[in-house]
């Protein structure tokens, strides 16, 4: 039974030690018959929680227009 494997690479450098380790892991997973995908977090625009509680005030939607202006929901978290 093959598995879907998602590898999250937090390495700041393509080709760095952590990135190479992710590649080797992906290679081994694929050789074992699994499907593997690597996502580079450095290529994503991911906002962070600023504790504004907008997610609780807007029916669970991550939009905080105005209060701090950072968590606008216009990032790659979806």
């Amino acid at each position: 039974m093959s598995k879907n494997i998602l590898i999250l690479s937090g390495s700041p450098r393509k080709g760095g030690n952590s990135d190479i380790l992710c590649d080797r892991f992906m290679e081994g997973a694929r050789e074992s018959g699994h499907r593997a995908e690597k996502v580079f977090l450095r290529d994503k625009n991911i906002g962070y929680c600023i504790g504004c509680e907008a997610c609780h005030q807007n029916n669970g939607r991550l939009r905080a227009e105005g209060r701090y202006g950072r968590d606008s929901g216009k990032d790659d978290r979806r």
Side-chain angles (χ1 to χ4, degrees):
M1 173 190 233
S2 71
K3 304 282 183 181
N4 292 322
I5 300 171
L6 177 63
I7 302 164
L8 299 175
S9 177
S11 177
R13 297 179 295 125
K14 283 188 179 180
N17 291 336
S18 297
D19 191 30
I20 291 170
L21 182 62
C22 288
D23 288 340
R24 297 298 174 258
F25 180 80
M26 186 166 54
E27 183 180 307
R30 287 181 175 166
E31 287 175 358
S32 297
H34 303 292
R35 291 181 297 273
E37 176 185 354
K38 180 169 65 168
V39 173
F40 296 99
L41 295 180
R42 71 177 165 276
D43 294 340
K44 302 293 182 185
N45 176 22
I46 301 173
Y48 54 91
C49 176
I50 57 173
C52 68
E53 297 292 323
C55 57
H56 296 281
Q57 298 168 5
N58 296 319
N59 296 322
R61 297 187 73 209
L62 293 174
R63 296 196 183 276
E65 280 88 4
R67 183 148 182 213
Y68 293 102
R70 287 184 177 167
D71 192 3
S72 65
K74 297 177 183 174
D75 62 11
D76 294 329
R77 286 182 281 183
R78 286 162 192 50

